[in-house]
Amino acid sequence: MAEAKQGSGQLQEEKGLLIAVSASVDKIISHFGAARNLVQKAQLGDSRLSPDVGHLVLTTLCPALHALVADGLKPFRKDLITGQRRSSPWSVVEASVKPGSCTHSLENLYNQVSRLSPLSSSRSRFHAFILGLLNTKQLELWFSNLQEDTGLLSLLYLPTAFFSLARGGCPSLSTELLLLLQPLSVLTFHLDLLFEHHHHLPLGPPQPPAPPGPPPALQQTVQAVLGWGGRLAQSLRGGPGEAPRGPSPSSGWWEQLTQASRVYASGGSEGFPLPRWGSRKQAVPPENTKESQPSGEEPGQARGVWLGRLFGVPAGPVESDGGGPLKSRRPSSWLPPAVSVLALMRKGGPPEPSSPPEELEAPAPSELPTQRAVRALCDHMAAAPDQLSFRRGEVLRVVSTVDEDWLRCGREGAEGLVPVGYTSLIL
């Protein structure tokens, strides 16, 4: 009874892996559902024109297949040179593409991914291999060959692994996996093998940003400056018994700096008086300040006299033409504009030419090519007289669209039907 419960629990775990693959395939198919014709469908499968398809495959399908291949994998496998090597899904790829055990195209794809130096981790190389299988429509073929290699499964996997159960006691798992992957072979993909490297996709959850704040050294420097500023303000005020109005140590450094800067404000009643330029005069007590001021001069006017002189106010009183109140010269009259600048402003812009320049003739638009072409993704032998045979990499001229699965193409004077899934549109 215990063994039966353990077996049913193990089967539920394998079903969960298939559910993850099914959900990822459904999301990819829904991405292509917005296409209305073959051209739009080809654009949605190109990661350069539609980066969303690259993000979708790398965040849904690749993790699901990685977990499926890693299920029940032995932690180490024997090696003739190192003795033992840590196993990973990329180790399964390396063992499955040995010469003589796979097709020539799978071997070429493995060599191409192995030469990509930016892919430093085994996980990123496995993702790039899955992208290449989608481009060449061999994803279903690779999993089928992996299921049939009994020696490879016994070497790399435990008896409770997904592929071991699919090969032995539960063959329905293998059939269900191939049926889930079959719709992807009908779609046309043109994915960049270095898409994960170019877009810097994170392998884990994003880390929360650190809270902003000044470094400890800067905070200590600001505290020292604030203390020096408070002592300087107290000495300038001349009140030995009055403590400086400094900020509390518990407040923030920016608040402390703001409060300390207020001690230098001279507009309020607490600001320290500024000295006047000129000959020294005997200090007058505060209670006799109003008596020493000349008649007609307001109390706040004496403080601003030296500032007025600094900004161009003449030393003696200057009356207006109507005998009204005093007028002061504006600071803008310090730097009068040069004569050349005024002359340019009066003259305005440059004169218009007497005769308009000859209009340049617009070049005639080049005629855009109206014909479309496709590139063959693999070799194909015609199975009927109305079909066209071709080899991988050949460029075929599209004559017309028959339906969603067939195109009528031409090459070197011959025309025939070509499967859509075996070609990639050239834009």
Side-chain angles (χ1 to χ4, degrees):
M1 181 65 71
E3 294 180 357
K5 290 183 179 180
Q6 184 178 1
S8 61
Q10 184 68 26
L11 188 60
Q12 290 297 329
E13 293 180 3
E14 312 305 338
K15 287 288 185 179
L17 297 174
L18 291 178
I19 291 175
V21 175
S22 176
S24 62
V25 173
D26 290 342
K27 292 180 180 179
I28 296 174
I29 293 177
S30 63
H31 170 77
F32 285 87
R36 297 183 178 180
N37 49 47
L38 296 177
V39 176
Q40 294 181 1
K41 185 178 295 185
Q43 291 176 350
L44 290 176
D46 195 336
S47 61
R48 295 172 300 178
L49 303 178
S50 178
D52 291 343
V53 68
H55 287 276
L56 192 61
V57 172
L58 284 173
T59 55
T60 59
L61 182 64
C62 288
L65 296 181
H66 188 276
L68 185 70
V69 177
D71 180 70
L73 192 63
K74 294 180 180 179
F76 296 95
R77 66 187 184 94
K78 296 182 179 180
D79 188 87
L80 296 178
I81 299 176
T82 61
Q84 281 187 345
R85 289 183 57 187
R86 186 177 296 276
S87 300
S88 65
W90 179 246
S91 305
V92 180
V93 176
E94 292 177 334
S96 63
V97 294
K98 291 182 178 179
S101 61
C102 64
T103 61
H104 184 67
S105 57
L106 285 176
E107 186 177 354
N108 290 339
L109 176 60
Y110 166 75
N111 295 331
Q112 182 181 359
V113 173
S114 301
R115 288 193 297 265
L116 297 177
S117 56
L119 303 179
S120 56
S121 64
S122 60
R123 189 183 187 93
S124 60
R125 286 193 292 266
F126 178 81
H127 290 174
F129 183 73
I130 296 298
L131 298 182
L133 292 178
L134 291 174
N135 291 340
T136 57
K137 302 181 182 298
Q138 298 183 102
L139 182 61
E140 183 183 356
L141 175 64
W142 182 72
F143 276 98
S144 178
N145 293 341
L146 185 63
Q147 292 277 4
E148 296 175 358
D149 196 342
T150 309
L152 179 63
L153 295 181
S154 61
L155 178 64
L156 298 178
Y157 286 96
L158 298 173
T160 57
F162 175 88
F163 292 111
S164 300
L165 293 177
R167 181 68 181 175
C170 191
S172 61
L173 294 176
S174 175
T175 306
E176 188 173 354
L177 174 62
L178 297 180
L179 289 177
L180 291 176
L181 300 177
Q182 189 174 8
L184 299 178
S185 60
V186 182
L187 302 175
T188 301
F189 291 94
H190 191 71
L191 305 173
D192 182 15
L193 300 184
L194 291 175
F195 186 87
E196 185 175 6
H197 171 72
H198 291 159
H199 292 263
H200 302 286
L201 296 179
L203 296 179
Q207 298 294 334
L218 177 60
Q219 191 168 4
Q220 294 177 3
T221 305
V222 171
Q223 293 288 350
V225 172
L226 293 177
W228 175 82
R231 293 192 298 271
L232 177 61
Q234 182 180 0
S235 62
L236 290 176
R237 287 180 179 181
E242 182 183 358
R245 186 178 52 179
S248 60
S250 60
S251 58
W253 69 275
W254 178 252
E255 183 180 357
Q256 295 177 17
L257 182 61
T258 305
Q259 295 179 5
S261 63
R262 295 175 184 172
V263 300
Y264 301 101
S266 59
S269 59
E270 299 179 0
F272 56 90
L274 297 174
R276 293 181 56 184
W277 296 101
S279 60
R280 284 192 171 183
K281 295 185 179 180
Q282 187 176 0
V284 182
E287 57 271 8
N288 300 329
T289 303
K290 293 184 178 180
E291 299 178 2
S292 64
Q293 291 178 353
S295 60
E297 185 177 1
E298 299 179 0
Q301 190 174 357
R303 179 182 295 181
V305 172
W306 74 276
L307 289 175
R309 292 182 181 179
L310 180 62
F311 284 93
V313 178
V318 180
E319 297 183 357
S320 62
D321 297 339
L326 298 178
K327 292 185 178 180
S328 61
R329 186 160 53 90
R330 296 182 178 180
S332 60
S333 61
W334 282 7
L335 303 175
V339 179
S340 58
V341 176
L342 290 177
L344 290 177
M345 294 175 62
R346 292 170 183 169
K347 290 182 180 180
E352 297 181 357
S354 57
S355 59
E358 298 181 0
E359 296 182 357
L360 299 178
E361 297 182 358
S366 58
E367 297 182 358
L368 298 177
T370 58
Q371 296 183 354
R372 296 178 299 170
V374 293
R375 179 179 284 107
L377 297 176
C378 57
D379 300 342
H380 174 69
M381 295 298 297
D386 57 346
Q387 296 185 10
L388 182 66
S389 301
F390 52 85
R391 299 185 63 83
R392 178 187 177 185
E394 291 184 350
V395 178
L396 310 177
R397 177 175 50 87
V398 178
V399 179
S400 62
T401 301
V402 180
D403 53 20
E404 295 185 357
D405 299 327
W406 294 92
L407 297 173
R408 179 170 294 277
C409 300
R411 176 182 54 83
E412 298 178 357
E415 294 186 2
L417 298 179
V418 173
V420 175
Y422 290 7
T423 60
S424 177
L425 181 65
I426 300 177
L427 300 177

PDB file of all heavy atoms in Angstrom, residues 25-34 56:
ATOM      1  N   VAL A  25       3.376  26.421 -23.718  1.00  0.00           N
ATOM      2  CA  VAL A  25       3.018  26.284 -25.139  1.00  0.00           C
ATOM      3  C   VAL A  25       1.753  27.080 -25.452  1.00  0.00           C
ATOM      4  O   VAL A  25       1.653  27.734 -26.506  1.00  0.00           O
ATOM      5  CB  VAL A  25       2.849  24.799 -25.504  1.00  0.00           C
ATOM      6  CG1 VAL A  25       2.305  24.646 -26.916  1.00  0.00           C
ATOM      7  CG2 VAL A  25       4.184  24.069 -25.385  1.00  0.00           C
ATOM      8  N   ASP A  26       0.797  27.079 -24.556  1.00  0.00           N
ATOM      9  CA  ASP A  26      -0.431  27.852 -24.775  1.00  0.00           C
ATOM     10  C   ASP A  26      -0.144  29.352 -24.858  1.00  0.00           C
ATOM     11  O   ASP A  26      -0.733  30.063 -25.679  1.00  0.00           O
ATOM     12  CB  ASP A  26      -1.433  27.576 -23.647  1.00  0.00           C
ATOM     13  CG  ASP A  26      -1.997  26.156 -23.709  1.00  0.00           C
ATOM     14  OD1 ASP A  26      -1.893  25.530 -24.782  1.00  0.00           O
ATOM     15  OD2 ASP A  26      -2.513  25.681 -22.682  1.00  0.00           O
ATOM     16  N   LYS A  27       0.776  29.857 -24.027  1.00  0.00           N
ATOM     17  CA  LYS A  27       1.113  31.277 -24.080  1.00  0.00           C
ATOM     18  C   LYS A  27       1.801  31.637 -25.389  1.00  0.00           C
ATOM     19  O   LYS A  27       1.548  32.703 -25.956  1.00  0.00           O
ATOM     20  CB  LYS A  27       2.009  31.631 -22.894  1.00  0.00           C
ATOM     21  CG  LYS A  27       1.308  31.559 -21.547  1.00  0.00           C
ATOM     22  CD  LYS A  27       2.255  31.924 -20.422  1.00  0.00           C
ATOM     23  CE  LYS A  27       1.553  31.847 -19.070  1.00  0.00           C
ATOM     24  NZ  LYS A  27       2.480  32.181 -17.946  1.00  0.00           N
ATOM     25  N   ILE A  28       2.653  30.766 -25.884  1.00  0.00           N
ATOM     26  CA  ILE A  28       3.347  31.046 -27.143  1.00  0.00           C
ATOM     27  C   ILE A  28       2.360  31.019 -28.305  1.00  0.00           C
ATOM     28  O   ILE A  28       2.409  31.865 -29.214  1.00  0.00           O
ATOM     29  CB  ILE A  28       4.489  30.034 -27.345  1.00  0.00           C
ATOM     30  CG1 ILE A  28       5.549  30.210 -26.245  1.00  0.00           C
ATOM     31  CG2 ILE A  28       5.119  30.194 -28.709  1.00  0.00           C
ATOM     32  CD1 ILE A  28       6.640  29.176 -26.279  1.00  0.00           C
ATOM     33  N   ILE A  29       1.439  30.068 -28.309  1.00  0.00           N
ATOM     34  CA  ILE A  29       0.442  29.992 -29.384  1.00  0.00           C
ATOM     35  C   ILE A  29      -0.471  31.220 -29.351  1.00  0.00           C
ATOM     36  O   ILE A  29      -0.836  31.776 -30.408  1.00  0.00           O
ATOM     37  CB  ILE A  29      -0.367  28.691 -29.268  1.00  0.00           C
ATOM     38  CG1 ILE A  29       0.538  27.480 -29.538  1.00  0.00           C
ATOM     39  CG2 ILE A  29      -1.541  28.690 -30.233  1.00  0.00           C
ATOM     40  CD1 ILE A  29      -0.156  26.148 -29.364  1.00  0.00           C
ATOM     41  N   SER A  30      -0.840  31.686 -28.165  1.00  0.00           N
ATOM     42  CA  SER A  30      -1.671  32.888 -28.081  1.00  0.00           C
ATOM     43  C   SER A  30      -0.926  34.122 -28.570  1.00  0.00           C
ATOM     44  O   SER A  30      -1.538  35.070 -29.068  1.00  0.00           O
ATOM     45  CB  SER A  30      -2.132  33.087 -26.638  1.00  0.00           C
ATOM     46  OG  SER A  30      -1.014  33.307 -25.783  1.00  0.00           O
ATOM     47  N   HIS A  31       0.406  34.132 -28.449  1.00  0.00           N
ATOM     48  CA  HIS A  31       1.189  35.241 -28.996  1.00  0.00           C
ATOM     49  C   HIS A  31       1.054  35.307 -30.511  1.00  0.00           C
ATOM     50  O   HIS A  31       0.971  36.404 -31.088  1.00  0.00           O
ATOM     51  CB  HIS A  31       2.657  35.077 -28.589  1.00  0.00           C
ATOM     52  CG  HIS A  31       3.591  36.015 -29.290  1.00  0.00           C
ATOM     53  ND1 HIS A  31       3.713  37.345 -28.944  1.00  0.00           N
ATOM     54  CD2 HIS A  31       4.454  35.812 -30.323  1.00  0.00           C
ATOM     55  CE1 HIS A  31       4.599  37.919 -29.736  1.00  0.00           C
ATOM     56  NE2 HIS A  31       5.073  37.017 -30.574  1.00  0.00           N
ATOM     57  N   PHE A  32       1.048  34.163 -31.175  1.00  0.00           N
ATOM     58  CA  PHE A  32       0.893  34.134 -32.628  1.00  0.00           C
ATOM     59  C   PHE A  32      -0.561  34.292 -33.056  1.00  0.00           C
ATOM     60  O   PHE A  32      -0.826  34.435 -34.247  1.00  0.00           O
ATOM     61  CB  PHE A  32       1.434  32.815 -33.196  1.00  0.00           C
ATOM     62  CG  PHE A  32       2.931  32.740 -33.221  1.00  0.00           C
ATOM     63  CD1 PHE A  32       3.642  32.284 -32.130  1.00  0.00           C
ATOM     64  CD2 PHE A  32       3.632  33.132 -34.341  1.00  0.00           C
ATOM     65  CE1 PHE A  32       5.020  32.210 -32.150  1.00  0.00           C
ATOM     66  CE2 PHE A  32       5.016  33.066 -34.375  1.00  0.00           C
ATOM     67  CZ  PHE A  32       5.708  32.608 -33.281  1.00  0.00           C
ATOM     68  N   GLY A  33      -1.509  34.254 -32.121  1.00  0.00           N
ATOM     69  CA  GLY A  33      -2.918  34.358 -32.494  1.00  0.00           C
ATOM     70  C   GLY A  33      -3.300  35.713 -33.041  1.00  0.00           C
ATOM     71  O   GLY A  33      -4.337  35.851 -33.692  1.00  0.00           O
ATOM     72  N   ALA A  34      -2.479  36.761 -32.800  1.00  0.00           N
ATOM     73  CA  ALA A  34      -2.800  38.090 -33.313  1.00  0.00           C
ATOM     74  C   ALA A  34      -2.470  38.245 -34.795  1.00  0.00           C
ATOM     75  O   ALA A  34      -2.859  39.244 -35.406  1.00  0.00           O
ATOM     76  CB  ALA A  34      -2.052  39.154 -32.502  1.00  0.00           C
ATOM     77  N   LEU A  56       9.125  35.651 -24.084  1.00  0.00           N
ATOM     78  CA  LEU A  56       8.115  34.654 -23.762  1.00  0.00           C
ATOM     79  C   LEU A  56       8.706  33.247 -23.735  1.00  0.00           C
ATOM     80  O   LEU A  56       8.435  32.453 -22.829  1.00  0.00           O
ATOM     81  CB  LEU A  56       6.973  34.740 -24.777  1.00  0.00           C
ATOM     82  CG  LEU A  56       5.689  33.982 -24.451  1.00  0.00           C
ATOM     83  CD1 LEU A  56       5.080  34.497 -23.166  1.00  0.00           C
ATOM     84  CD2 LEU A  56       4.688  34.124 -25.593  1.00  0.00           C
TER      85      LEU A  56
END
